[in-house]
Amino acid sequence: MTTWENMVSNALGSAAAGILSRISTHPLDTVKARLQADHQKQRYKGPFDGLKRTYMSEGVKGLYRGFSTVLVGGTPGTILYLCSYDIFKERIFSFQGYGSHDGTARSEDSFGVHFASGLLAEAVACTVYVPVDVIKERLQVQGRHANEIRYTGGADALVKIWYSEGLHGMYRGYGATLMSFGPFSALYFVFYERFKSWSKELTGSATLALPWLVLSSASAGGLASFLTSPLDMAKLRLQVDRGRNQASTVSTVTRYRGIIDCLQQAYAYGGIRNGLFRGAGARVLHFVPATTVTMTCYESMRQFFLTRLFEI
């Protein structure tokens, strides 16, 4: 197979994986966003209570707020993310002199290569993910405060944010996003490749069956999402805080000076459990199925497209 054929198959596989994962997990992402955006009033007792109350008050539409934005903007981001990871991993292994003959085997045992590849892939993908997240999260949490701009949809949010806040508003929280999802992606791929390696050792097979891929991706997603939950909470509050203050006629001073200040305030108010790790349960419940669907679909669909399109 040529490099071009692999790239096309990877792009199509990642697009299919991104769409399927978002359809199945967006309601949990909405609840996670609302839990994390709460600064003082704890409106929901937890993720399941959040799902129930959101559905009762707003219906399915409330659970899928911001979905069109994620589908249109997030799909290219997923393509960029997964393809970048494979490219960076291949380049780093080639640079280290492992070569293509044993690169796969060595890659499953290399912490540094996967950590760096995941971090770099996230940095590239965040150029797409951050504007999408800003729009999506403001749509998800709107209507909960009187002092805020209201959006009728993704396109309306894009226009209003660009007009009132400019490029800075669109990339509000880029550093926080990279600090949140960078470590998440780095840890996720380290765990994922390690779990796949252990699974192959247990099964004695070079190719993993679907149940083992599901177990590897779900375990990696749960661990990585929980460990980086405080950073995700800070990132979301920074992005949402900007929008609220743009609508204020009283003050244009943002609540937080940056990600460190946000983490300090969250800890001072709620401690570890209800401050730093607020919404961690919903984040894990969102990322476990999201990463599982994404990676299992990606692994399966890219092989499907490679076989159907080029092996004729």
Side-chain angles (χ1 to χ4, degrees), residues 81 183-193 217 220-221 224 291-292 295:
Y81 175 59
F184 167 79
S185 293
L187 290 174
Y188 174 79
F189 282 113
V190 167
F191 293 146
Y192 179 61
E193 300 284 4
S217 56
T291 54
T292 300
M295 293 308 297

Side-chain angles (χ1 to χ4, degrees), residues 3 53 74-75 82 114 134-135 142 156 161 171 190 215 221 226-227 244 307 310:
T3 301
R53 293 178 65 178
T75 301
L82 293 175
H114 291 121
V134 169
I135 294 171
Q142 73 173 356
D156 181 57
I161 294 171
Y171 279 90
V190 167
L215 180 61
F226 179 78
L227 291 174
R244 289 175 182 164
T307 303
F310 302 111

Side-chain angles (χ1 to χ4, degrees), residues 12-300:
L12 292 173
S14 57
I19 292 170
L20 289 172
S21 68
R22 283 178 170 82
I23 291 173
S24 58
T25 62
H26 191 80
L28 286 168
D29 185 54
T30 297
V31 173
K32 173 193 74 76
R34 294 186 175 190
L35 282 167
Q36 290 180 330
D38 277 338
H39 299 82
Q40 296 181 352
K41 296 180 180 179
Q42 297 184 5
R43 293 172 174 82
Y44 307 127
K45 298 176 182 178
F48 294 110
D49 181 56
L51 284 170
K52 178 182 177 181
R53 293 178 65 178
T54 299
Y55 176 75
M56 294 296 292
S57 61
E58 303 174 50
V60 175
K61 183 178 180 180
L63 292 172
Y64 277 89
R65 283 187 184 275
F67 179 72
S68 61
T69 300
V70 173
L71 192 63
V72 174
T75 301
T78 303
I79 296 173
L80 196 60
Y81 175 59
L82 293 175
C83 291
S84 294
Y85 173 74
D86 283 333
I87 291 171
F88 282 125
K89 182 173 70 171
E90 181 70 23
R91 293 294 183 270
I92 293 173
F93 271 103
S94 297
F95 178 76
Q96 290 185 340
Y98 292 152
S100 59
H101 296 293
D102 64 350
T104 301
R106 295 292 295 274
S107 71
E108 292 169 351
D109 300 314
S110 176
F111 175 93
V113 171
H114 291 121
F115 192 92
S117 299
L119 193 63
L120 290 169
E122 189 63 46
V124 172
C126 273
T127 59
V128 175
Y129 279 148
V130 170
V132 171
D133 266 358
V134 169
I135 294 171
K136 178 203 69 171
E137 287 167 353
R138 292 194 190 180
L139 288 169
Q140 287 174 323
V141 303
Q142 73 173 356
R144 296 152 60 76
H145 299 269
N147 182 34
E148 65 180 3
I149 298 174
R150 296 301 299 270
Y151 310 110
T152 59
D156 181 57
L158 174 62
V159 172
K160 287 181 177 176
I161 294 171
W162 182 264
Y163 179 77
S164 61
E165 304 170 45
L167 186 64
H168 178 71
M170 294 302 302
Y171 279 90
R172 172 72 173 172
Y174 178 87
T177 301
L178 194 56
M179 287 184 67
S180 168
F181 282 96
F184 167 79
S185 293
L187 290 174
Y188 174 79
F189 282 113
V190 167
F191 293 146
Y192 179 61
E193 300 284 4
R194 183 66 262 180
F195 292 153
K196 283 203 305 180
S197 180
W198 286 340
S199 298
K200 289 178 180 179
E201 291 174 5
L202 287 172
T203 60
S205 173
T207 304
L208 288 179
L210 182 61
W212 290 101
L213 283 175
V214 170
L215 180 61
S216 297
S217 56
S219 301
L223 278 171
S225 60
F226 179 78
L227 291 174
T228 57
S229 185
L231 295 172
D232 183 60
M233 175 274 300
K235 179 266 301 183
L236 182 142
R237 291 189 180 181
L238 285 169
Q239 290 176 328
V240 172
D241 187 43
R242 176 79 175 185
R244 289 175 182 164
N245 282 283
Q246 285 294 325
S248 176
T249 58
V250 178
S251 174
T252 58
V253 178
T254 56
R255 183 179 284 111
Y256 307 112
R257 294 189 298 273
I259 189 170
I260 301 301
D261 180 56
C262 183
L263 290 170
Q264 289 175 336
Q265 289 194 42
Y267 177 74
Y269 178 79
I272 295 176
R273 181 178 179 181
N274 292 317
L276 294 177
F277 281 88
R278 177 145 181 83
R283 176 172 164 82
V284 171
L285 286 174
H286 167 251
F287 270 99
V288 167
T291 54
T292 300
V293 172
T294 297
M295 293 308 297
T296 52
C297 284
Y298 176 59
E299 300 274 16
S300 302

